Amino acid sequence: MRTSVATSLQSSSLYFSSSSSSSSSSSPKQPSSSSSFSLPNSQRPNTPLTPPPKQPKSVLHKHPLYPQTQSSNLSLQIKEKILCLEVMGVDSGRALSLNPDLHSATLASVHSVVSFLRSRGLRHRDLPKIFGMCPRVLTADVSADLAPVFDFLAADLRVPDRDLRRVINKCPRLLACSARDQLRPALLYLRRLGFRDPEALAYSDAVLLVSSVERTLIPKLRFIEGMGVSAEEAAAMVVRCPSLLTFSIENNFRPKWEYLAGEMGRRVEELKEFPQFFAFSLEKRIKPRHMELARRGLGVQMPLPSMLKTTDEEFRDLITQLAT
């Protein structure tokens, strides 16, 4: 049976507490260091929980951050955190490596994050993806960091409560961004460019909201303008095809623009009408179809949308029509 996240956290704490008790009968009693990491007694289940057999040993003794020679010296706090993360389906080694603050975080603070996300509609099965992509969320402050993100989604993007889970699952990085320093400035910039549909930004293009205005969005607009279009025309292109702002300049824009202007002999005016050109693979779609047109002496006679959006069969039929 799938247990809730809260029960999983309780289970990890109870497991190590019971392990300490059983070992104390055969050795002198040592002071316990788990009190600050154990859940309050009021939150413990009334019936004992059976821990996953053998899982703690395999997790702890083979953990990448803690070699086997040191595993016996692991503090109870670290053991509980590793088991807690693994029970939730999170790669504990990766999480601890990418988020150093997790080393000193208490289980109570992790539990508060999980409880808050669950209260906003997230489900247990959503957590591995969210925490896997953004381990920083595990040590976020609920009031200062997470609550403002949900307020932003509700107030600025008008996302209803029932759709919060959908938006977060679409772009978990929202939870790792500051609403004040990142999300709202990005939204203001996108609105100035011409993005007027909050639903589209929330449900389809949320990745633009987590992108840096200065380091990501502005340089891409400048490159598009450098191809020979005005600032207004560049803005119209990205509003028409928002994915342009997610493409790499060096790996996408530059090689495709150089191929279009050089090998294909086409003009930038065609890109103003069809900015989706940059969404097609250069090697798998653009080059093969251009070379087929060139081989038949058809050159630039076929418009870019017809050349790239059609199926292979439709493309061959168009070539036949042009050749007759």
Side-chain angles (χ1 to χ4, degrees), residues 150-321:
F150 285 92
D151 293 341
F152 167 81
L153 294 176
D156 295 74
L157 297 185
R158 301 199 291 273
V159 178
D161 288 347
R162 66 178 182 275
D163 288 341
L164 290 172
R165 175 174 178 255
R166 173 185 169 190
V167 173
I168 295 299
N169 277 321
K170 177 74 174 180
C171 185
R173 289 172 57 195
L174 287 165
L175 295 177
C177 290
S178 166
R180 183 192 65 184
D181 299 330
Q182 171 61 47
L183 300 180
R184 284 197 174 89
L187 177 60
L188 291 174
Y189 179 74
L190 292 169
R191 283 175 173 169
R192 286 199 297 269
L193 288 179
F195 287 84
R196 299 285 183 264
D197 187 352
E199 284 193 8
L201 282 173
Y203 300 115
S204 301
D205 306 314
V207 66
L208 302 183
L209 296 169
V210 302
S211 302
S212 168
V213 173
E214 293 79 11
R215 296 189 305 273
T216 302
L217 302 182
I218 290 178
K220 292 176 182 180
L221 264 295
R222 295 292 179 267
F223 184 88
I224 294 174
E225 293 172 20
M227 295 188 301
V229 302
S230 66
E232 293 76 14
E233 291 169 332
M237 289 172 65
V238 299
V239 169
R240 184 172 180 177
C241 183
S243 60
L244 288 181
L245 292 175
T246 68
F247 297 151
S248 164
I249 291 177
E250 296 303 324
N251 297 329
N252 188 309
F253 284 149
R254 193 181 305 281
K256 290 178 182 178
W257 162 241
E258 290 176 352
Y259 189 81
L260 179 132
E263 296 296 325
M264 297 176 69
R266 295 184 181 246
R267 299 171 61 83
V268 72
E269 280 70 23
E270 291 193 73
L271 293 180
K272 297 177 188 178
E273 298 298 323
F274 188 63
Q276 296 88 342
F277 167 82
F278 291 102
F280 291 92
S281 169
L282 181 60
E283 299 298 330
K284 296 180 179 180
R285 180 63 67 94
I286 298 173
K287 283 185 178 182
R289 293 200 172 182
H290 164 68
M291 291 172 68
E292 180 64 18
L293 288 171
R295 186 180 70 82
R296 293 173 175 263
L298 299 176
V300 297
Q301 295 183 41
M302 187 180 294
L304 284 178
S306 301
M307 170 186 166
L308 299 175
K309 293 175 65 176
T310 53
T311 65
D312 290 341
E313 183 178 355
E314 291 170 339
F315 179 67
R316 287 192 295 268
D317 289 343
L318 288 174
I319 286 179
T320 301
Q321 295 173 19

Side-chain angles (χ1 to χ4, degrees), residues 2-208:
R2 177 177 293 173
T3 59
S4 67
V5 173
T7 302
S8 298
L9 290 169
Q10 295 162 359
S11 175
S12 66
S13 180
L14 288 174
Y15 174 78
F16 284 107
S17 297
S18 62
S19 298
S20 300
S21 299
S22 61
S23 61
S24 63
S25 60
S26 58
S27 60
K29 186 173 182 180
Q30 300 294 327
S32 173
S33 60
S34 65
S35 59
S36 63
F37 287 84
S38 301
L39 294 175
N41 291 332
S42 61
Q43 297 184 24
R44 295 177 183 270
N46 294 326
T47 57
L49 297 173
T50 303
K54 299 183 180 180
Q55 182 181 1
K57 182 177 180 180
S58 63
V59 169
L60 299 176
H61 286 268
K62 297 180 180 180
H63 199 277
L65 294 184
Y66 305 99
Q68 186 170 356
T69 56
Q70 299 177 5
S71 60
S72 60
N73 298 323
L74 285 179
S75 68
L76 187 55
Q77 295 97 324
I78 290 293
K79 292 178 181 179
E80 286 186 321
K81 269 184 284 190
I82 291 175
L83 180 58
C84 166
L85 295 172
E86 296 292 339
V87 166
M88 285 194 294
V90 179
D91 183 336
S92 58
R94 183 175 186 275
L96 287 162
S97 296
L98 296 180
N99 184 0
D101 291 339
L102 193 55
H103 289 264
S104 58
T106 65
L107 274 182
S109 67
V110 174
H111 178 253
S112 68
V113 169
V114 173
S115 297
F116 177 77
L117 294 179
R118 294 294 300 275
S119 73
R120 303 313 297 264
L122 277 298
R123 300 177 185 175
H124 176 67
R125 64 174 178 268
D126 303 325
L127 300 182
K129 175 183 176 182
I130 293 172
F131 295 145
M133 290 182 63
C134 307
R136 286 172 48 198
V137 178
L138 284 162
T139 55
D141 183 282
V142 170
S143 299
D145 302 325
L146 298 181
V149 172
F150 285 92
D151 293 341
F152 167 81
L153 294 176
D156 295 74
L157 297 185
R158 301 199 291 273
V159 178
D161 288 347
R162 66 178 182 275
D163 288 341
L164 290 172
R165 175 174 178 255
R166 173 185 169 190
V167 173
I168 295 299
N169 277 321
K170 177 74 174 180
C171 185
R173 289 172 57 195
L174 287 165
L175 295 177
C177 290
S178 166
R180 183 192 65 184
D181 299 330
Q182 171 61 47
L183 300 180
R184 284 197 174 89
L187 177 60
L188 291 174
Y189 179 74
L190 292 169
R191 283 175 173 169
R192 286 199 297 269
L193 288 179
F195 287 84
R196 299 285 183 264
D197 187 352
E199 284 193 8
L201 282 173
Y203 300 115
S204 301
D205 306 314
V207 66
L208 302 183

